[in-house]
Amino acid sequence: MRTKPVLLVIAHGSRDPRHAATVHALVRRVRSLRPGLRVETGFLDFNIPSVHGVLESLAAEGVRDVVALPLLLTRAFHAKADIPAVLRDAPPQLRIRQAEVLGPSPLLLSALERRLYEAGLSPDDKSSTGVVLAAAGSTDPEAIAVIAETAREWRRTGWCAVRPAFASAALPRTEDAVRELRELGCARVAVAPYVLAPGFLPDRIARGAAEADVLAEVLGPAPEVARVLLERYDAARRPALAAVGA
């Protein structure tokens, strides 16, 4: 029987202990949704195990097939440069396929709404509520364009308005987007952090949401996020499955 590739979730890492704890909670959710799938976690920086260390351990065990999944919401520098560089240094006996990043996905919009409803909103509030889609930020134009398109797509689901904002590297900031929605006339303003785990930039988003009515939690181990991970894993496996007629 053909062995399923190991899923290696690659997270950025942070000095903030909440970051790694949230990543591990998300990975546990993924495992619960796909019993029998081996899921490992590696960090690019700050936390252990490192991506390189996990790859070395897998190779030493005799693992041959790995799907490396960037725990990122957009294709920016980490997905385009950092992660491919780390994977190029992997033990040569490993066959590694890099999966796509998580966003964009309708499931992520569902996860954002889940967090807003958990923070006190209801579906009946949508038409009178403006939402700030608060991302970490990037200097990559492709990543910024994806966030802007995600905001436009989310607006079509019935919110009063949706505005993108960024905690770093791009404008507007969260607090500026909150004020814009107030001036637009939305009855209430909510901030939805479009980030996966707590840390320095999510804390900056929270400070920028001081004048908002509602601040949602980060996406974290939301079930919809776990489902996106499995979708990206399956898509990365598909060419090999087709090749063997699976």
Side-chain angles (χ1 to χ4, degrees):
M1 184 173 66
R2 187 175 178 87
T3 303
K4 295 178 182 177
V6 172
L7 170 55
L8 172 58
V9 176
I10 300 179
H12 182 274
S14 171
R15 293 185 178 90
D16 189 323
R18 297 173 298 167
H19 176 90
T22 302
V23 170
H24 291 311
L26 175 57
V27 168
R28 287 194 296 271
R29 174 85 71 173
V30 172
R31 291 186 183 122
S32 73
L33 293 177
R34 187 74 60 90
L37 173 62
R38 182 172 178 181
V39 187
E40 300 290 342
T41 308
F43 295 91
L44 290 173
D45 208 351
F46 301 117
N47 302 106
I48 55 173
S50 68
V51 176
H52 183 73
V54 174
L55 293 171
E56 291 278 359
S57 295
L58 291 174
E61 289 179 32
V63 170
R64 290 296 174 263
D65 289 305
V66 176
V67 169
L69 194 156
L71 197 60
L72 301 167
L73 294 171
T74 59
R75 283 192 78 251
F77 182 79
H78 294 305
K80 294 177 179 179
D82 282 354
I83 292 174
V86 172
L87 298 181
R88 282 194 297 269
D89 287 338
Q93 61 267 43
L94 291 175
R95 292 185 292 268
I96 303 176
R97 280 158 280 173
Q98 182 176 330
E100 291 296 326
V101 298
L102 303 186
S105 168
L107 284 170
L108 293 177
L109 296 182
S110 297
L112 287 164
E113 294 205 1
R114 171 189 291 275
R115 293 302 188 226
L116 285 172
Y117 297 152
E118 290 170 350
L121 293 179
S122 75
D124 291 338
D125 295 323
K126 290 184 75 168
S127 63
S128 58
T129 301
V131 180
V132 178
L133 180 67
S138 173
T139 57
D140 188 303
E142 177 187 353
I144 297 301
V146 167
I147 298 298
E149 178 55 33
T150 298
R152 286 190 290 269
E153 186 68 26
W154 201 16
R155 164 67 181 84
R156 297 186 189 108
T157 68
W159 295 99
C160 173
V162 180
R163 294 290 187 270
F166 305 94
S168 68
L171 297 174
R173 294 287 184 257
T174 301
E175 53 269 34
D176 298 325
V178 169
R179 294 188 191 105
E180 180 186 349
L181 291 171
R182 290 271 187 232
E183 293 168 1
L184 191 64
C186 297
R188 66 186 63 78
V189 176
V191 174
Y194 192 51
V195 292
L196 290 164
F200 177 75
L201 293 179
D203 284 349
R204 181 179 287 177
I205 290 171
R207 290 193 297 272
E211 296 181 11
D213 301 294
V214 174
L215 170 63
E217 293 293 330
V218 299
L219 293 171
E224 296 87 355
V225 178
R227 287 168 56 196
V228 177
L229 264 71
L230 290 171
E231 284 187 357
R232 298 295 183 254
Y233 170 81
D234 291 337
R237 288 183 66 211
R238 208 160 287 138
L241 289 173
V244 297

